[in-house]
Amino acid sequence: MSKIIVIGHKNPDTDSIVSALGAAEYLRKVLGLDAEAYRAGEINNETKFVLEHIGVEVPPYLESASEDEAISLVDHNEVSQVAEGVDYSKVEYIFDHHKISLQTERPIFLRTEPIGSTASLIAKMFLEKGGEFSAKTAKLLLAGILSDTLNLTSPTATHEDAEISEKLNEIAKIDVFSFADEMFVAKSSLEGISIEDITTLDYKNFEMGGKKVGVGTWETTNPETVNEKKVEIAKVLEIKKEVDRLDYVFFMVADIIKQNSYLYMIGEEEKKLAEKVFKGKMADGIMFLEGVVSRKKQIIPPLTAELEK
C-alpha cells in the first residue's frame, strides 16, 4: 500500500478528528509510513474552535479511497460507524477505546485500551516509543482528552487519562481549565446548528441482540436551550427511525455542568425499554437520568445487556 488513510467515525466529534491527526503523525514519524488524516463528516462547533485556536486546518472529507490506499480507523471499529468511502476489507490499523465488535478476514494491527479517549491512546503510543510530537499535536491530543472525558469529570475518565494530560501539557503549556471552559462553550453553541444537526452530529447506530438501536448525544452547559426544541427534535427522531429502519432510537441531552442527562423517546417501544433499563423519572417522553453523562459507559452497556437477554 502506498498510502494510509487515517479516519474516524461518521458524525465525528473532537476526539475522532484530533485522534486522526495524531495517529497520522504517529504513523509518519514513528513508523515511517505515508499517512494522512481525513474526516468522515462535518465537524461540530467545539472541534471548529479547537482547530482554529490551535491553528490546524480541518482534515479533508473522504469521498473514497483508491485501490492502493490502506485504511487506519481511529475512535471506532464497528462497521455501522465506518465512513461511506471506506472499504472495511482494506483496514490495516485500528486505534480505539470502545468495545470490540469487529471481525476481519486477516490479521491487522489493533490497539485498544479502556481509557477515556482515543487521543489518550495516541499520546501514550508516542510516549512509549519516545517519539517527539509538536506543541500543536500535544494541544490537539489534550483537547481530545478534555472533550471526551469532560475535563476528566466523566465516568469514562481514568487516572491514566489524567497522567497523560499532565505530560501533554508539559509541551502544550496551556491553562487547561480556561481552555476546557472555552471548548465547552463552543460545544454548547447552537450557532449555525439545525434541529437535525443537534440530533445527528454526535449520533451512532449499534447492533444489540439482533436489534438496531440509534443513540444520539448533545453535550451542553445549558440543556434548556435544547430541551425547548423537544417537539422539533422528536419529529427528526421519528424520521431517523424510519429511514434507518431502527428498532429503537434514543437521544440524550447531557448537562456537562450538573452531570445529568435528559433521554428522549419517541414511541412506546423506547419508553418500555428505558423504564426497564434506566428507571428514571419520565415526563412528556423525556426521562431524567441523574448522574448519567456517558453514552459509551452508562447508556450503551445496560441497553445491550437487556436486549441480549
Side-chain angles (χ1 to χ4, degrees), residues 136-243:
K136 282 188 176 182
T137 299
K139 290 176 183 177
L140 286 171
L141 295 175
L142 182 55
I145 297 172
L146 296 175
S147 176
D148 244 29
T149 67
L150 303 179
N151 195 11
L152 302 174
T153 64
S154 169
T156 60
T158 68
H159 291 299
E160 195 163 21
D161 293 298
E163 292 171 357
I164 292 171
S165 296
E166 290 181 4
K167 291 178 181 177
L168 286 172
N169 206 27
E170 291 174 5
I171 302 169
K173 301 184 186 305
I174 63 174
D175 183 330
V176 170
F177 287 100
S178 294
F179 184 54
D181 284 345
E182 291 182 86
M183 284 176 56
F184 297 157
V185 168
K187 184 194 290 279
S188 305
S189 172
L190 297 181
E191 182 179 352
I193 301 295
S194 66
I195 297 297
E196 185 172 358
D197 288 337
I198 291 173
T199 56
T200 61
L201 275 176
D202 189 0
Y203 173 91
K204 294 179 180 180
N205 285 329
F206 301 87
E207 295 288 340
M208 305 177 185
K211 302 294 185 181
K212 192 174 181 181
V213 183
V215 184
T217 302
W218 184 266
E219 295 174 337
T220 178
T221 59
N222 189 4
E224 290 77 15
T225 60
V226 181
N227 289 337
E228 66 185 16
K229 305 176 188 298
K230 62 183 181 181
V231 175
E232 297 100 312
I233 289 173
K235 290 179 181 178
V236 171
L237 291 175
E238 288 172 1
I239 295 171
K240 188 75 173 170
K241 184 176 182 179
E242 182 177 353
V243 171

Side-chain angles (χ1 to χ4, degrees), residues 269-304:
E269 299 93 342
E270 284 85 359
K271 290 177 183 178
K272 289 177 182 178
L273 180 58
E275 286 172 345
K276 184 180 291 187
V277 173
F278 302 112
K279 301 178 175 62
K281 295 179 181 178
M282 183 86 75
D284 297 325
I286 299 176
M287 180 178 285
F288 179 71
L289 301 177
E290 186 174 0
V292 173
V293 291
S294 172
R295 173 175 56 194
K296 184 182 80 170
K297 193 167 185 176
Q298 296 173 298
I299 298 293
I300 300 306
L303 282 177
T304 302

Side-chain angles (χ1 to χ4, degrees), residues 7-23:
I7 190 165
H9 52 74
K10 297 175 184 176
N11 307 314
D13 57 7
T14 298
D15 188 37
S16 177
I17 294 294
V18 303
S19 293
L21 291 164

